[in-house]
Amino acid sequence: MRYPTAALAAVAVVIAVAGCTTPTKSATTNQSPSAAGAAADSGAANSSTPLGEPSAAVALVPAKAVGKISPKRLAAGLVPPTNRWFSGLVFPDKPQPVFPMPLSAALTDTDLSVGLPQVTASAKTIMGGNNPQVRLGLGAKTMKVTGYDTLTVTATYSDAAGKVLGSVLIAQGSPFVTYTAAADQTLPVEPIFKPDTTGLLTAEAAGRQYGLVVGGGATVDAAGKVALHAGSTVTVFAAPDGAALGSLAAAAAHPVVGGSVSHAIENDSVTTTFNYRTKDGGDTVTAPMAGQKVQGQAASSGSYPSIYGSMALYPGARLVTTAPLVEPSGALDVSKMSAGDKRAVVAQLRTDAAKVDFAIDDTYFGGKILYRAANMLTLAEQLGVDDVAGKLRSGLTAELTMWFDPKGCATRSTKCFVYDRNLRSIIGLKASFGSDELNDHHFHYGYLLYAAAVVAKNDPALATKIAPVADLVAKDIASSDISADFPQYRNFDPYAAHSWASGSSPFADGNNQESSSEAVNAWNALALWQQVRGNTAGFDQARWMMSVEANSAKLYWTDTDLLTTPAFTHKIVALNWGGKRDYATWFSPEPGAMLGIQLIPMGPYAQYLAGDATRIKANLAEAAPDGYGAQFGEYMVQYLALADPAAARQALASLPKEIDNGTSKAFVMAWVFSRPSANA
């Protein structure tokens, strides 16, 4: 997400870094406690203790309230959930709809509405949107988020006097939404649900059947009103395609009360395990994101439509998805380049290095400058250009020392970090593209962490010096667990299988992410930095995140399946939301921007974009009908090299006059020359 955007992404040859050549097994339980207590979960281990004081680690940097957003509907004791699929419930002046999949849900201060999105398409948009088909009138005055974990969120409703009426729990991947009463009450439900021949309460809305299951002594009268007592539940769900509504009734009787996620790496794949906890330990039914591969489980009957494709249903409270392992890398393999190619790269490298200027000082473009210089440093060292390497290393060391100086912001207003206690976030100064609204932290910090990892890899003294702040920056975007300092993962959403970029998500269509490639770049950088730090668990977590994000970058952005939405006339999706998908960017209407933002910065790890040469060429034909001299043309030439190295070699003659500041002409040349069949 950007206002507007600039440049973003990741693409390159995957070369094994020292210590990365043999995939290892790892398993980490990733669970965020629902701190303020989810009323729906009588068996969960909830904490009502106010959020603790930040740790001594974050006290290393100045504390300063620079964030431009603040929670408006969040219980005391919870870390502000920025960059989440449900952030729109917490931060905007009015709560926004959320898209947990497969249902959409609108939680206002007074009621709850749910529905299955109705998928439509136009030339540039695939729309699902909020579809409020079933409404529960809760008679409330206020709503606030009182608990969340890796998969679920709980919102509590209170009356005008502050008395708690009950709570709603929504779980990603669950076809059920459950309201649990905290006191005796009677709720009107629209439309009116009536028993069918089997006794199941059903209603129809917009041609879709919906079911209602009550528990804990709740009853439904002839007018469709639900009478509840403290602890009673009412669960709403939609009929799937290809299966009867009643096939889900038994599972609906076991309300979901929490969830957790774990991951593992083995051989050439990564797995993500989703665990759903129900109120009474009974089984439930789940629907993974469309396109994700499920391991070791057979789908049951029925599926749901979504803007991302058909979502199959799986029985049970445990679901495992898998994605190809993508290994991190900080260097191209130049060993097989011809002598002539090396001479050409060296000549261009000298020209590019002479123009290096570290004057840009915001967290996005300033980070990109460091990223570009770090890749030039690696090339210079690989190709034996010692004088250039020496100057680049000296300049980068000085810049990194400045950026990661713990007390930098005590004496200056740029190229430094502060800790915002209100938002529990490390915020770099000066901010750009709304990074002080918590937008795009993974995009920005990925560039900075990459430069830190590359330069400090062979400089233990520098690594030790910058580690305290660099570690905080890494935790800001990818803390393995929730703590008093940071939320879990910040940007990365294990269920959606990609990241979200908006900090507060003040949109009716949910959260969004534009640059899939800059997200992959962030997790590559995180892995390289964790490797420098000798943090095996952190390294494997980053590899898992990188692999999942790279897989989804193709599934939902560059190689997405659009057969079910023929009215959408473009080859790629440039901007994905919870409720819609757009052929659009935040910064430009040009076709090259749509694809280019999914490629930038085409680092040494972006081999993940390869695979379908025909699709790559079709994407490029749409993005660059007039050649590669336009914005992002340099990245498109690298992308072309994944499908046709010979054509990419020829296209080097038509690069843009102004190369994007996230790369250099020397690096683009080296990328193309290092492709296996491109060697002269």
Side-chain angles (χ1 to χ4, degrees), residues 82-114:
T82 66
N83 308 91
R84 298 294 181 100
W85 61 275
F86 63 87
S87 296
L89 297 178
V90 174
F91 292 94
D93 291 335
K94 293 183 179 180
Q96 297 297 315
V98 292
F99 302 87
M101 298 292 184
L103 296 172
S104 65
L107 287 71
T108 70
D109 283 327
T110 59
D111 58 26
L112 162 71
S113 298
V114 300

Side-chain angles (χ1 to χ4, degrees), residues 359-384:
I360 298 177
D361 58 1
D362 69 81
T363 55
Y364 181 68
F365 291 109
K368 286 177 67 178
I369 292 293
L370 297 182
Y371 177 93
R372 177 180 66 174
N375 278 329
M376 284 196 285
L377 168 63
T378 300
L379 276 179
E381 291 181 339
Q382 288 176 311
L383 299 175

Side-chain angles (χ1 to χ4, degrees), residues 286-308:
T286 58
M289 278 288 290
Q292 298 295 322
K293 291 185 177 180
V294 175
Q295 183 181 78
Q297 293 167 272
S300 57
S301 299
S303 63
Y304 288 106
S306 83
I307 57 174
Y308 293 95

Side-chain angles (χ1 to χ4, degrees), residues 51-331:
L51 191 60
E53 285 296 306
S55 70
V58 298
L60 290 172
V61 299
K64 191 173 184 180
V66 298
K68 293 183 178 179
I69 59 173
S70 61
K72 295 178 174 61
R73 285 170 300 279
L74 186 68
L78 286 174
V79 173
T82 66
N83 308 91
R84 298 294 181 100
W85 61 275
F86 63 87
S87 296
L89 297 178
V90 174
F91 292 94
D93 291 335
K94 293 183 179 180
Q96 297 297 315
V98 292
F99 302 87
M101 298 292 184
L103 296 172
S104 65
L107 287 71
T108 70
D109 283 327
T110 59
D111 58 26
L112 162 71
S113 298
V114 300
L116 193 67
Q118 294 179 311
V119 180
T120 61
S122 63
K124 291 187 176 182
T125 299
I126 301 169
M127 176 60 73
N130 177 42
N131 190 22
Q133 295 298 323
V134 179
R135 175 184 172 273
L136 276 67
L138 303 179
K141 185 68 174 179
T142 61
M143 178 274 294
K144 67 171 61 174
V145 168
T146 54
Y148 64 86
D149 58 32
T150 320
L151 293 173
T152 74
V153 60
T154 298
T156 295
Y157 288 83
S158 303
D159 65 13
K163 178 184 177 181
V164 173
L165 302 176
S167 61
V168 172
L169 186 138
I170 305 174
Q172 289 178 292
S174 174
F176 312 117
V177 173
T178 298
Y179 175 79
T180 300
D184 291 354
Q185 56 195 278
T186 299
L187 308 181
V189 181
E190 301 172 356
I192 296 174
F193 283 76
K194 296 182 178 180
D196 63 11
T197 56
T198 68
L200 177 65
L201 293 163
T202 69
E204 185 174 305
R208 175 79 59 172
Q209 269 199 321
Y210 287 85
L212 195 72
V213 170
V214 296
T219 59
V220 182
D221 65 18
K225 292 185 177 181
V226 182
L228 303 104
H229 310 290
S232 295
T233 60
V234 53
T235 298
V236 179
F237 58 100
D241 294 336
L245 182 68
S247 65
L248 298 183
H254 308 294
V256 173
V257 294
S260 62
V261 175
S262 61
H263 63 81
I265 300 175
E266 187 170 2
N267 299 323
D268 59 354
S269 66
V270 302
T271 60
T272 307
T273 300
F274 304 97
N275 294 293
Y276 294 84
R277 191 172 67 257
T278 59
K279 186 173 185 179
D280 55 5
D283 259 345
T284 188
V285 174
T286 58
M289 278 288 290
Q292 298 295 322
K293 291 185 177 180
V294 175
Q295 183 181 78
Q297 293 167 272
S300 57
S301 299
S303 63
Y304 288 106
S306 83
I307 57 174
Y308 293 95
S310 180
M311 299 178 68
L313 286 167
Y314 289 81
R318 181 177 180 271
L319 185 73
V320 181
T321 60
T322 184
L325 176 65
V326 177
E327 288 287 13
S329 176

